[in-house]
Amino acid sequence: MPATLHLPAILAKLADAKVIESAGATVGALVSDVATRYPSLAPRLRDADGQPYPFVTFYLNDEDIRFHGGFDAPLADGDEITVVPAIAGG
Amino acid sequence: MTVVTYRTERDRPRDAAAVRPAAGKESARELPPLSHDEIVRYSRHLILPDVGVEGQRKLKAARVLLIGAGGLGSPLALYLSAAGVGNIGIVEFDVVDITNLQRQVLHGTSDVGKPKSDSARRRIADVNPHVQVTTYEEPLTSANALGIIRDWDIVVDGTDNFPTRYLVNDACVLLGKPNVYGSIYRFEGQASVFATADGPCYRCIYPEPPPPGMVPSCAEGGVLGVLPGLVGMIQATETIKLILGAGDSLAGRLLLIDTLGANFRTVKVRRDPSCPACGTRTLMELIDYEQFCGVPHAVPETQISHGVPEICPMEAAAKLERNEIEIIDVREPHELDIASYPRVTAIPLGQIAARIAELPRDRDLVIACRTGARSARAVQQLQAAGFTRVWNLAGGIHRWIDDVDPSQPKY
Ligand SMILES: [Zn+2]
């Protein structure tokens, strides 16, 4: 399914884009595709085993994917995925 | 524990002018009256339907604890005191540094070198003498957090590091105190309200922190000066809404603020049934948060170079003069304009791996950055790649400026 991945500024720098068009049957498949296309971004999106980090949250539209099967969350045409890494500045 | 309570003008409600609790209103009966001066001062609130006299008295009765009087805590302290929050606590042990003033509007140029808690008390007293301020001039720790937070109604998290964020979260969940959360990095911010009766907590979004060094601090990565103002104002608004019981709180939602894209949006945050703090409640006491966040104990940034060979700036300068070493500067390009080393090869830390072929293996290499932390990581990276003649410049450009070239600014 074609879907859009939105990156925060800190990760956008590694991909030279804030928004990446990609596709996949699941969020994990889409993340894999993006990781292959942008090798320097890959380790910031998922760990060496291809699993999500506990400090980088993926929102499928408005929902945390943890409550929808994690990287197995299915994608529908036109879904928007937002990557939100933990930040601590104050 | 140092508790400094600073009181300015005591509330002396004049009998004639004092607003008495509205008759028949059970909840209103415990609220303090407003003095004549206060009625005049807060008149724009009093005519506001969702605040009114009762709301203003709720604000006066409220006890709000700010963790940190830095970027987020500054606008929070100014606006919450101006709005008439009657009791404000501030946990802050730091002193004002000139680099704070770009965003920490609670402190001024004349406060540099002095405790932030002093300037905080002075500014708040000037903004609104009706506010009672309590300052805790100590770092928040697992040992003191519950004791400090227990005395307050609402906690506002304006800290600048992961260990303290998890500490504040867990303490608030354990004590059942709402935690008004805000966090910033470079051009982007987050805000939410955690630990309300049925709401989620910080661990429900981020069960574990990133390993140290993966997310640079604002001191390393920079922050847009107005951003903490923006996020701090969201936190102040949420705090006032909680006190008044007005509107829809950010509890259950995470507000994402993107200043460059001029985008505000919220995503849903659910209580995670497996969250050890607010879900399973297996977390029953505070833990060692430095350890939880993988931070080595009591190691300042400049000494993270554990097991990494170091060279001091004086020695490096002498060797450079004799052309015995090459300095590799791993700072970001924009930092090079602020202060620089003589005759360097500049390769940002993130590009070392990709550009490793550019570095000579038959020369003595001295890796340098701002304080010595990033360059230590670069040294380790090069050692892993088989480089043997590689040293870390101890203390970075800061110590270079101290010891070798005082003509340049520190940043
Ligand atoms: Zn939780």
Side-chain angles (χ1 to χ4, degrees):
Chain A
M1 292 294 166
T4 310
L5 185 75
H6 296 265
L7 298 172
I10 180 155
L11 299 185
K13 222 174 54 177
L14 300 169
D16 263 331
K18 283 196 86 168
V19 178
I20 297 174
E21 302 295 338
S22 176
T26 62
V27 173
L30 179 140
V31 169
S32 277
D33 173 62
V34 171
T36 310
R37 282 160 56 196
Y38 302 95
S40 57
L41 184 60
R44 306 297 293 270
L45 296 179
R46 53 175 181 42
D47 67 18
D49 301 324
Q51 294 305 307
Y53 293 113
F55 47 84
V56 180
T57 305
F58 287 79
Y59 292 92
L60 176 55
N61 302 318
D62 288 346
E63 292 279 349
D64 185 339
I65 62 164
R66 280 192 202 98
F67 300 95
H68 298 271
F71 272 177
D72 292 332
L75 285 182
D77 204 345
D79 272 346
E80 310 251 334
I81 300 163
T82 309
V83 187
V84 185
I87 53 174
Chain B
M1 187 168 76
T2 327
V3 182
V4 183
T5 304
Y6 181 83
R7 292 171 186 192
T8 51
E9 180 188 317
R10 293 300 303 122
D11 300 319
R12 284 171 290 116
R14 299 173 205 169
D15 278 343
V19 175
R20 290 292 165 210
K25 280 201 174 176
E26 198 59 41
S27 63
R29 215 162 268 155
E30 298 145 26
L31 295 174
L34 299 177
S35 68
H36 181 85
D37 286 352
E38 287 172 309
I39 289 170
V40 177
R41 175 181 286 263
Y42 303 129
S43 62
R44 296 299 182 279
H45 264 169
L46 303 183
I47 57 176
L48 202 57
D50 278 322
V51 184
V53 170
E54 190 183 335
Q56 194 63 52
R57 289 167 57 209
K58 287 180 182 170
L59 291 171
K60 181 173 178 177
R63 301 181 55 79
V64 176
L65 180 67
L66 308 180
I67 316 285
L72 295 169
S74 283
L76 274 157
L78 292 173
Y79 273 87
L80 290 180
S81 56
V85 170
N87 306 275
I88 294 180
I90 298 176
V91 183
E92 178 63 72
F93 67 98
D94 216 354
V95 296
V96 180
D97 183 84
I98 189 115
T99 62
N100 298 151
L101 302 180
Q102 162 253 24
R103 63 199 177 284
Q104 301 185 13
V105 295
L106 192 56
H107 317 292
T109 308
S110 60
D111 301 317
V112 169
K114 297 173 193 160
K116 287 185 181 178
S117 55
D118 285 359
S119 26
R121 274 187 271 120
R122 206 176 50 251
R123 279 302 303 281
I124 293 172
D126 190 32
V127 169
N128 187 349
H130 301 283
V131 177
Q132 207 169 306
V133 180
T134 306
T135 55
Y136 302 87
E137 290 165 46
E138 58 192 320
L140 195 73
T141 66
S142 298
N144 65 15
L146 295 175
I148 292 175
I149 292 174
R150 186 172 281 125
D151 285 340
W152 300 86
D153 301 333
I154 297 174
V155 174
V156 189
D157 180 357
T159 57
D160 61 358
N161 62 83
F162 285 109
T164 316
R165 290 201 179 272
Y166 280 93
L167 167 62
V168 171
N169 179 75
D170 292 356
C172 286
V173 173
L174 287 172
L175 293 169
K177 307 279 184 184
N179 170 15
V180 183
Y181 161 81
S183 194
I184 53 171
Y185 182 66
R186 290 195 169 171
F187 297 97
E188 289 165 337
Q190 306 177 345
S192 190
V193 175
F194 297 130
T196 53
D198 304 308
C201 79
Y202 183 63
R203 284 178 183 261
C204 295
I205 307 180
Y206 297 115
E208 287 172 33
M214 188 154 177
V215 181
S217 66
C218 287
E220 248 182 353
V223 62
L224 187 68
V226 295
L227 176 60
L230 207 53
V231 176
M233 278 305 91
I234 303 282
Q235 290 176 283
T237 309
E238 288 304 304
T239 302
I240 288 175
K241 282 162 61 185
L242 285 175
I243 295 167
L244 298 176
D248 298 315
S249 133
L250 268 179
R253 291 180 294 158
L254 177 67
L255 178 66
L256 303 171
I257 297 154
D258 164 17
T259 57
L260 291 181
N263 276 317
F264 280 58
R265 64 171 294 207
T266 57
V267 290
K268 286 182 196 153
V269 183
R270 295 171 192 277
R271 177 176 278 187
D272 183 350
S274 66
C275 171
C278 72
T280 61
R281 296 197 170 267
T282 44
L283 190 129
M284 295 167 75
E285 57 187 21
L286 300 177
I287 57 171
D288 181 338
Y289 292 89
E290 300 286 324
Q291 190 185 43
F292 177 65
C293 295
V295 182
H297 272 284
V299 177
E301 193 184 11
T302 46
Q303 287 167 30
I304 290 174
S305 50
H306 221 59
V308 168
E310 286 191 341
I311 182 168
C312 73
M314 289 290 259
E315 196 185 342
K319 281 175 178 279
L320 188 69
E321 195 69 24
R322 301 193 294 267
N323 198 27
E324 291 169 5
I325 58 165
E326 286 196 27
I327 295 185
I328 313 296
D329 189 338
V330 297
R331 293 176 300 155
E332 298 298 313
H334 61 269
E335 297 180 76
L336 309 180
D337 298 336
I338 307 170
S340 57
Y341 299 101
R343 299 204 310 273
V344 293
T345 305
I347 304 179
L349 179 62
Q351 294 177 20
I352 289 282
R355 296 173 60 182
I356 213 155
E358 292 175 32
L359 299 173
R361 287 171 187 262
D362 57 352
R363 294 270 293 158
D364 285 351
L365 304 180
V366 172
I367 317 299
C369 67
R370 190 177 71 104
T371 63
R374 276 174 288 173
S375 50
R377 293 204 287 277
V379 169
Q380 285 168 327
Q381 222 174 322
L382 291 172
Q383 285 175 326
F387 283 77
T388 50
R389 299 170 61 176
V390 55
W391 284 262
N392 185 29
L393 184 75
I397 197 95
H398 276 193
R399 202 165 143 195
W400 182 273
I401 290 166
D402 283 340
D403 297 354
V404 179
D405 181 8
S407 71
Q408 300 196 78
K410 285 189 197 172
Y411 63 102

